């Protein structure tokens, strides 16, 4: 069997993925390794023979795919969170990560670890696969040719020992802190629960009894009452018409609305009576609702306000479903490829409306290979540009940092002219998964034998101790500053720390602990910055603790 795998690296790669992925789903005391289990299966196979390794292009390609796709999906949230508390949250994350890098350098000198292994411990303790790619790229650029293969294995050895410590240690630190500080997540949720929670959207009819002043438009009603209710259609004197932003309601009108219960109650108290017995949503003699896939380039990447719906067909978008979330639309919302919109329009215009938005399930499942490849090429070019350090030396972002930064920028823009950079939700998830599996399987098989040699020579104990110290210090310091000093609710603090660790398993554990999704806000806020920051810091660590 070993001979067959040695002669067929593709079979080796697929076997590692097939065995590692389901193993990552196995729970042990409520903890799972997730896709990280692929790395350990790869290491296991690599230990069988010094030549049992996948080609280098496998992990390089996987790494580039993964970080670029992460950038595309994280770009919009990265920008939006900075408009709120993003700067402060990222400042905390950046400060803690700098302390972690300093602790790593101190541990390297105290425990006399090899530079590459110290860099791998830093990446593994903070579960930073892109940073590991950055470490490998830095070594590839600076190491002597005759030592390259050996030196490239060192970061992976440190990473493979420290990674499970990073996953489990983060969870244990959170568990200890929430018990020590007597955190009540349910009480925090009641305080933090905002009207923006779209899961409580309702549709109902309001019977208008009064409008003050009489010429008040629908848009003005929302603004004056601080609401975001969608007015879809109106019945007046037996006739139906849609309600646009400039529509003026009159006493006796029946108007169909969609929004949050609190906001609908507020407007109903102003206008008249909620829950009229006449259900406009069931009368489709002239107007109808339809759910449409957004797949047309002319709609993707544009805000609903930019589309000027009221000037084209007169349709009204009443709901946007993105992934598993239902969102209440407004004029600033940018439509993304793969969104499912609920549209109200006149029956005679519905086919034209559907054609405008696309409604092609096939297109929302495909990847525009041209724009995807072009964006990735731009990222790789950026990764090759040397950036000088103050005082001498330079740094390249490499195959990890370059694609990630370009992905964030292009994901934020969404489109430039007719070129759409964003990916369908399903395609994005698939590419991230495939890229990460290729990366972990590739570096695992290429480093398994070096890991075996390190463990048999007695070097694993120091790596384990360094990994425990680094994970515990980083997680505790982040939680203490966020929760105790900045006075952030623990629900958000744990999300920030999970984002700082770029730990997907950690975020899953947090959701089980809190029982809600509010930690996603903190996670999404710092994840891109932390990913880039750790790539830069690992270069600094290697430059500081060198030479080889």
């Amino acid at each position: 069997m070993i001979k067959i795998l040695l002669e067929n690296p593709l079979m080796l790669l697929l076997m590692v993925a097939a065995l590692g992925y389901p193993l990552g789903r196995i729970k042990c005391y409520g903890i799972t390794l997730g896709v990280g289990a692929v790395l350990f299966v790869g290491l296991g196979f690599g230990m069988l023979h010094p030549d049992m390794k996948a080609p280098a292009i496998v992990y390089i390609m996987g790494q580039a795919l993964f970080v670029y796709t992460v950038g595309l999906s994280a770009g919009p949230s990265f920008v939006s969170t900075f408009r709120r508390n993003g700067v402060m949250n990222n400042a905390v994350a950046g400060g803690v990560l700098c302390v972690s890098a300093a602790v790593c350098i101190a541990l390297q000198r105290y425990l006399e670890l090899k530079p590459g292994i110290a860099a791998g411990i830093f990446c593994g303790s903070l579960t930073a696969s892109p940073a590991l790619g950055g470490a490998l790229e830095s070594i590839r650029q600076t190491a002597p040719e005759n030592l390259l293969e050996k030196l490239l294995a060192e970061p992976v050895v440190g990473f493979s020992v420290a990674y499970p410590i990073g996953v489990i240690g983060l969870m244990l630190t959170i568990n200890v802190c929430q018990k020590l500080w007597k955190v009540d997540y349910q009480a925090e949720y009641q305080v933090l629960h905002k009207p923006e929670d779209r899961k409580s959207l309702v549709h109902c009819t309001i019977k208008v009894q009064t409008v003050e002043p009489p010429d008040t438009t629908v848009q003005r009603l929302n603004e004056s009452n601080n609401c975001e209710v969608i007015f879809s259609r109106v019945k007046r004197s037996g006739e139906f018409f849609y309600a646009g932003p400039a529509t003026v309601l009159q006493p006796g009108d029946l108007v169909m609305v969609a929004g949050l219960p609190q906001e609908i109650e507020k407007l109903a108290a102003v206008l008249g009576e909620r829950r009229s017995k006449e259900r406009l949503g069931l009368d489709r003699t002239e107007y109808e609702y339809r759910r449409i896939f957004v797949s047309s380039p002319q709609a993707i990447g544009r805000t609903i306000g930019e589309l000027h719906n009221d000037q084209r067909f007169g349709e009204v978008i009443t709901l946007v479903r993105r992934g598993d979330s239902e969102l209440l639309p407004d004029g600033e919302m940018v439509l993304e490829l793969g969104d499912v919109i609920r549209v109200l329009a006149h029956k005679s215009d519905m086919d034209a409306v559907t054609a405008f938005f696309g409604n092609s399930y096939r297109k929302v499942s495909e990847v525009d290979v041209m724009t995807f490849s072009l964006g990735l090429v731009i990222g790789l070019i950026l990764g090759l540009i040397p950036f000088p350090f103050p005082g001498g030396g330079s740094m390249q972002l490499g195959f990890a940092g370059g694609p990630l930064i370009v992905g964030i920028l292009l994901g934020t823009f969404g489109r430039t002219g007719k070129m759409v950079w964003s990916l369908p939700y399903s395609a994005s998830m698939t590419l991230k998964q495939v890229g990460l599996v290729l990366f972990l399987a590739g570096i695992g098989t290429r480093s398994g034998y070096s890991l075996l040699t390190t463990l048999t020579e007695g070097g694993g104990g120091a790596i384990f101790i360094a990994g425990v110290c680094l994970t515990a210090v980083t997680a505790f310091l982040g939680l203490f500053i966020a929760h105790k000093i900045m006075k952030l609710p623990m629900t958000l603090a744990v999300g920030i720390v999970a984002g700082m660790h770029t730990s997907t398993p950690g975020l899953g554990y947090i959701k089980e602990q809190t029982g809600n999704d509010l930690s996603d806000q903190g996670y999404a806020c710092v994840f891109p910055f932390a990913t880039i920051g750790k790539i830069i810091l690992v270069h600094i660590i290697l430059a500081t603790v060198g030479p080889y």
Side-chain angles (χ1 to χ4, degrees), residues 166-188:
V167 173
I168 299 171
L170 173 62
M171 299 177 185
L172 291 177
T173 304
I174 291 173
N175 192 282
V176 169
C177 288
Q178 67 189 19
K179 291 180 179 178
L180 182 66
W181 298 334
K182 299 179 180 179
V183 176
D184 187 344
Y185 289 115
Q186 291 300 320
E188 287 188 349

Side-chain angles (χ1 to χ4, degrees), residues 341-378:
I341 58 175
R342 189 170 187 257
V343 176
L344 170 68
H346 197 279
K347 281 190 173 183
S348 61
D349 295 324
M350 185 57 81
D351 289 341
V353 172
T354 302
F356 176 82
F357 288 104
N359 201 37
S360 171
Y361 183 76
R362 177 179 177 179
K363 287 186 178 180
V364 301
S365 303
E366 292 179 340
V367 175
D368 188 331
V369 177
M370 190 271 287
T371 56
F372 183 80
S373 300
L374 179 59
L376 196 49
V377 167
I378 296 172

Side-chain angles (χ1 to χ4, degrees), residues 184-195 489 518:
D184 187 344
Y185 289 115
Q186 291 300 320
E188 287 188 349
Y189 180 76
Q190 296 300 321
V191 175
L192 290 171
H193 183 60
K194 302 292 184 182
L518 293 178

Side-chain angles (χ1 to χ4, degrees), residues 181-358:
W181 298 334
K182 299 179 180 179
V183 176
D184 187 344
Y185 289 115
Q186 291 300 320
E188 287 188 349
Y189 180 76
Q190 296 300 321
V191 175
L192 290 171
H193 183 60
K194 302 292 184 182
E196 288 82 14
D197 184 3
R198 306 304 184 189
K199 293 185 178 179
S200 57
L201 289 175
V202 296
H203 296 77
C204 71
T205 303
I206 294 178
K207 183 176 181 180
V208 180
Q209 295 176 342
T210 180
V211 180
E212 293 294 340
D215 59 347
T216 303
T217 64
V218 164
Q219 181 175 347
R220 182 59 184 163
L221 278 171
N222 267 325
E223 292 174 352
S224 61
N225 291 281
N226 195 26
C227 297
E228 295 181 2
V229 171
I230 298 295
F231 291 77
S232 55
R233 57 174 164 170
V234 180
K235 183 178 180 181
R236 180 180 296 168
S237 302
E239 295 184 358
F240 290 90
F241 58 92
Y242 91 99
T247 299
V248 176
L249 300 178
Q250 297 179 6
D253 286 349
L254 293 173
V255 57
M256 190 72 180
V257 296
L260 299 163
Q262 310 95 307
E263 297 186 350
I264 288 178
E265 291 288 355
K266 187 187 299 184
L267 280 180
V270 172
L271 293 174
E273 175 187 356
R274 180 187 171 181
R275 297 185 182 274
S276 167
K277 295 181 179 179
E278 184 166 357
R279 296 289 294 169
L280 300 185
L282 300 178
D283 188 344
R284 301 193 177 188
T285 55
E286 294 186 47
Y287 290 82
E288 67 173 306
Y289 283 103
R290 183 175 295 180
R291 292 186 180 272
I292 302 173
F293 287 103
V294 178
S295 61
S296 170
Q298 58 190 332
I300 299 166
R302 299 190 186 280
T303 65
I304 294 176
E306 289 175 341
L307 294 176
H308 301 296
N309 294 334
D310 55 329
Q311 298 179 16
R312 193 177 56 253
F313 303 114
E315 77 273 12
V316 178
I317 299 175
T318 62
L319 192 70
V320 177
R321 184 173 180 84
R322 181 170 298 161
D324 293 332
S325 301
E326 290 189 345
L327 308 174
L328 190 64
D330 57 40
E332 299 300 319
M333 178 178 288
V334 177
L335 294 180
E336 298 181 4
L337 180 61
D339 284 349
V340 181
I341 58 175
R342 189 170 187 257
V343 176
L344 170 68
H346 197 279
K347 281 190 173 183
S348 61
D349 295 324
M350 185 57 81
D351 289 341
V353 172
T354 302
F356 176 82
F357 288 104

Side-chain angles (χ1 to χ4, degrees), residues 429-445:
M429 295 297 293
T430 301
L431 285 172
K432 278 189 283 190
Q433 185 182 52
V434 170
L436 186 56
V437 167
L438 289 177
F439 176 64
L440 295 177
I443 63 172
T445 56

